[in-house]
Amino acid sequence: MVNDPFAAEGARRNPELRRVAMRRRVAEAGFVRVDALAREFAVSIMTVHRDLDELERRGFLHKVRGGATSAPTTTFHGDLEHRMQAQVEAKSAIAREVLASEVESGQVVALDDSTTSLVLARLLPERAPLTVVTHFLPVVRALAAQPGIELIGLGGRYDASYDSFLGRATAEAASELRPDVLFLSTTAVADGFCYLQSLGTMITRRALIASAARTVAMIDHTKFERRAQHRLVGIADLDRVVVDDGTPELTVRGLRARGARVDVVRG
């Protein structure tokens, strides 16, 4: 709740302050009703709807009947904070596997802006010295003070909903490099293809895939239950796919039948 009357008045008068406060409320509660937000911020129902429309456009939340949610659905992959707290054990098992089998000291390693890549990033000092290429600010923060880690940041247009740099300028920066291996994830997998929700993410990740000598996808089982708009890459076009043991065996067999190299990590 906005308990400070001065903060509440500021949020009521300033649309951007109000949207930031609404975003935090939805993130904290998981779901908030439109009428509750209208009362809290002393604005009309229509104003709340406009604010939620804008926050949804930026990727911070998902509007549902009667309110808004920060939790993932089949078409909304959740806000960044929610994604960082989801499927922690599966992501950790996948990250441990690729660290042991794919990462060697002296490599140039690229990481996308997925939360599974962030889990892996926190393990990378175990393999130092390494050069790490990324456009994801949480990875930069995690590795900035680590000895033996040289960081190369890919700039461009900053997208607050992903806490990363995305789009054509970032893609151009990625195309100038040649990492030994790229570790990436995806929003959804369907019919043998990886899909992403954001066009900017798709553009950036395609450039990273094209620049890397080797590509390794880290995909937890929930990604096979979702949908997204933008086709990224065929699963068989990646050098390796690592999934957790929550992934149905039928799904794994289907991916292998399409030519994908899939390894299942036991949690």
Side-chain angles (χ1 to χ4, degrees):
M1 298 287 291
V2 182
N3 295 318
D4 183 340
F6 296 102
E9 179 63 15
R12 186 179 73 82
R13 292 180 176 276
N14 186 307
E16 197 53 42
L17 285 178
R18 186 175 62 248
R19 288 166 188 159
V20 169
M22 284 186 183
R23 170 191 166 193
R24 289 174 179 164
R25 283 282 292 117
V26 175
E28 290 168 1
F31 171 79
V32 180
R33 292 188 58 83
V34 169
D35 54 0
L37 290 171
R39 288 194 301 272
E40 182 172 335
F41 294 99
V43 294
S44 70
I45 293 289
M46 290 306 298
T47 296
V48 173
H49 276 293
R50 285 194 294 269
D51 288 343
L52 294 180
D53 285 340
E54 176 61 19
L55 290 169
E56 183 176 51
R57 186 190 68 78
R58 299 182 194 176
F60 288 121
L61 50 77
H62 178 56
K63 283 186 72 178
V64 294
R65 185 176 179 84
T69 179
S70 63
T73 68
T74 57
T75 57
F76 173 67
H77 64 304
D79 73 333
L80 181 60
E81 183 176 353
H82 188 105
R83 289 189 290 125
M84 285 181 172
Q85 297 170 3
Q87 307 304 322
V88 174
E89 291 183 7
K91 292 173 182 176
S92 180
I94 292 170
R96 279 285 176 192
E97 163 58 27
V98 300
L99 179 78
S101 59
E102 296 283 350
V103 183
E104 299 178 3
S105 295
Q107 283 182 321
V108 178
V109 174
L111 299 177
D112 72 354
D113 59 340
S114 66
T115 54
T116 310
S117 285
L118 177 58
V119 175
L120 175 60
R122 291 168 175 160
L123 303 176
L124 289 180
E126 298 178 22
R127 293 290 188 273
L130 292 168
T131 298
V132 178
V133 177
T134 190
H135 56 114
F136 193 24
L137 284 182
V139 168
V140 173
R141 296 184 192 110
L143 295 177
Q146 295 296 325
I149 301 293
E150 179 181 358
L151 278 168
I152 298 177
L154 302 175
R157 180 184 58 81
Y158 176 71
D159 189 318
S161 62
Y162 291 90
D163 203 9
S164 63
F165 295 94
L166 299 171
R168 299 199 181 280
T170 313
E172 289 175 8
S175 69
E176 298 295 322
L177 303 173
R178 182 64 170 169
D180 296 302
V181 59
L182 164 67
F183 296 104
L184 70 151
S185 191
T186 188
T187 301
V189 180
D191 302 321
F193 289 90
C194 298
Y195 288 85
L196 297 170
Q197 193 67 17
S198 157
L199 177 61
T201 306
M202 184 270 289
I203 291 169
T204 304
R205 216 164 290 185
R206 277 187 179 176
L208 286 165
I209 290 169
S211 70
R214 180 171 173 79
T215 52
V216 178
M218 306 178 293
I219 305 175
D220 73 73
H221 63 276
T222 63
K223 306 301 174 64
F224 300 97
E225 304 164 0
R226 297 180 187 163
R227 300 190 304 275
Q229 299 180 62
H230 302 285
R231 181 184 290 187
L232 174 64
V233 66
I235 206 87
D237 294 324
L238 300 167
D239 292 298
R240 186 183 180 197
V241 178
V242 182
V243 302
D244 67 287
D245 58 5
T247 307
E249 178 60 30
L250 185 63
T251 298
V252 174
R253 289 203 302 267
L255 294 175
R256 288 172 176 162
R258 293 177 181 271
R261 179 193 169 186
V262 182
D263 294 317
V264 181
V265 175
R266 307 296 171 185

